[in-house]
Structure formats: structure tokens, C-alpha cells
Amino acid sequence: MAILEVKNISKSFDGLEVLKDISFDVNKGEVLAIIGPSGSGKSTLLRCINQLERADGGCVVVDGMTMFQNDENGYAVYSDKKILRDIRLKIGLVFQNFNLFPHMNVMQNVIEAPVQVLKMNKADAEEKARELLKKMSLETKEKSYPCELSGGQQQRVSIARALALSPDVLFFDEPTSALDPELTGEILKVLKSLAEEKMTMVIVTHEMEFAKNVADKVIFMDEGVIVEQGTPEEVFDNSKSERTKKFIQKF
């Protein structure tokens, strides 16, 4: 059963159509990798699904709850605030530039949302945070501040922070783009372990080897459209589109 259904999403900025009729779905426990050149609409797609941008048209359903759907004129109409809040709690987004609170230490960054949004008991939130930090190999860093951490450590804190809300689907927007090759390996190792635990993930990435070896499905986007989608084998080894083949050959 699809936990995320995306149907015919469109989005324009100042008359420029950046998403054109985007449709796909993700089943529980699957990893979807979205690849494509810069400017192809990948990040905008994630922002629309995470309610950071409003889509112009289409439909998004998360775990049976409709975020928005078209009216009779083909324009996106969003559900009420309660449903949108419930949906927001089911999905998490890890940004490429970490977005940690600089004035809070690692523990405070991880427990802030569970305590403030979920109204979780602080002691319970800290217990869960310690479990997550241990999973991220950061158990000795809970009192450190973001400025005291490497880029890879900051990104692992941001992943722990997203996981602290127990999302049903976790989105990653180029999580390694701000990191050097050694730190990139750290984050890919974390993502692979989450995939092995059957965490449902949608990952925008330029790491082709990772997408090929870890993802269950791959989407190739270019100029705001899905050029090709399928299994890693179908997209990487048996591409039907010349545009896909040309892009993959560069890597």
C-alpha cells in the first residue's frame, strides 16, 4: 500500500513552470531516489510535499490523508489546518545545509520538536534522543554546539532531529551536497542503515552509486518533468530515454 501518493503536481514561479504533471507513489519501507541535473525541480518537489511551497495543481495523499487536490477548475485546494498539521507530523525533512539551531546544543536541538510540538515529557524525549544519537555515533556530543561539530556530525544531528518525531516518511534534500567526500561516506552509511531498517525515505541525491545500490525505485527528472522512473536496474542499466542515458554516463 502506498504511504505517499503524488498525482499530477504542477508548480510555477513567475510564469515559469518548474514542475509539470509529476506523479509517483512510495510504499511503506521503500527508498525512492530522485536524480537529475541541477534546476530540474527536485528540491521544489520536496518542498511542495513538505508544505514549504504551495503547489498550483495536483494531489498529494500521505497515509490516506489528502494534503491538497484539484478543484473543478484544476487548481490545488488544501485541506484544513488540522489535517495539514497531522500530515506534517507524519513526514520529516533533512536539509542539505543542516539548519540546526546554533544557540542550542545537540541534545536541545534533538528534543526541541518532540517537547514543543508533540508535548512529550522532557525526560522521555531525552531518552529517545540518546538512543538516536547513539545510532548516529554521536553519543559523546550531546552537550556540543553545532559550531563545534564537523559538517558530517551536524548532518547526523539533523537526521536524529528528524527521526525524533517518528515520521512515517523521511525526505532528504541532497544531504551530502555540502560535505567533502570523506564526510559524504559517513552520511551514506547512515542512510544505508536506515534503509536496512525499512525506513521509508525519499532522497534527492547526486550520489549515483548510492541510488543504484540502495534505492528500491529511482526517478530521473529534467526540466520539471519525470523523464523516467523504475527500479535501479531499469533506470541505470536499461534506460529507455536518451536523456537519462546521457545524464548517467557523466557519472
Side-chain angles (χ1 to χ4, degrees):
M1 176 185 169
I3 195 165
L4 172 66
E5 300 171 69
V6 175
K7 301 174 185 174
N8 312 114
I9 286 188
S10 62
K11 174 67 179 175
S12 297
F13 291 108
D14 299 323
L16 176 65
E17 200 172 14
V18 294
L19 295 177
K20 309 168 189 175
D21 199 29
I22 300 291
S23 298
F24 63 89
D25 56 46
V26 181
N27 294 322
K28 190 172 178 61
E30 282 186 336
V31 177
L32 168 66
I34 303 178
I35 62 173
S38 297
S40 58
K42 306 183 302 296
S43 293
T44 300
L45 174 61
L46 258 57
R47 291 178 66 83
C48 285
I49 298 172
N50 282 273
Q51 302 181 48
L52 299 175
E53 299 281 358
R54 290 182 77 87
D56 298 328
C59 176
V60 169
V61 179
V62 179
D63 198 20
M65 295 185 293
T66 300
M67 183 187 300
F68 62 85
Q69 59 188 340
N70 284 345
D71 62 12
E72 62 273 13
N73 297 312
Y75 294 108
V77 176
Y78 279 73
S79 296
D80 61 49
K81 288 183 179 179
K82 182 188 183 303
I83 291 176
L84 293 180
R85 180 184 183 277
D86 289 345
I87 290 174
R88 200 174 283 119
L89 292 175
K90 286 184 170 289
I91 58 182
L93 175 60
V94 177
F95 298 90
Q96 54 185 287
N97 292 318
F98 322 137
N99 284 24
L100 298 174
F101 298 117
H103 61 290
M104 294 182 178
N105 64 31
V106 167
M107 176 59 74
Q108 291 168 331
N109 263 284
V110 176
I111 70 169
E112 176 72 5
V115 171
Q116 298 298 329
V117 178
L118 299 182
K119 307 302 179 187
M120 187 183 288
N121 175 278
K122 186 178 179 182
D124 292 340
E126 288 180 344
E127 182 181 353
K128 182 171 184 178
R130 288 192 177 97
E131 291 174 6
L132 291 169
L133 291 173
K134 186 175 182 181
K135 182 184 286 189
M136 299 294 147
S137 301
L138 292 169
E139 57 266 44
T140 63
K141 299 293 185 181
E142 64 179 67
K143 293 184 179 179
S144 299
Y145 285 83
C147 64
E148 300 172 315
L149 304 175
S150 70
Q153 289 170 333
Q154 288 186 59
Q155 190 62 295
R156 280 182 278 151
V157 173
S158 69
I159 295 171
R161 182 178 63 178
L163 289 169
L165 288 170
S166 301
D168 289 337
V169 186
L170 194 51
F171 294 81
F172 294 84
D173 187 7
E174 298 187 20
T176 61
S177 67
L179 305 176
D180 64 36
E182 186 175 6
L183 298 180
T184 291
E186 288 181 14
I187 301 307
L188 295 181
K189 186 177 178 181
V190 169
L191 296 182
K192 188 174 181 181
S193 70
L194 291 174
E196 289 168 353
E197 294 171 13
K198 294 299 178 183
M199 179 75 207
T200 309
M201 294 185 286
V202 177
I203 306 171
V204 169
T205 183
H206 288 299
E207 301 295 333
M208 295 298 113
E209 201 66 27
F210 172 82
K212 185 175 182 179
N213 294 330
V214 178
D216 299 293
K217 295 177 181 174
V218 177
I219 283 174
F220 172 64
M221 287 182 65
D222 189 28
E223 297 184 348
V225 301
I226 292 178
V227 177
E228 196 157 0
Q229 62 178 310
T231 65
E233 184 181 15
E234 289 168 340
V235 174
F236 284 98
D237 299 329
N238 298 289
S239 305
K240 296 183 178 68
S241 163
E242 287 302 318
R243 180 67 187 93
T244 309
K245 290 177 183 175
K246 189 176 179 181
F247 177 79
I248 290 170
Q249 282 170 0
K250 291 181 180 178
F251 296 91

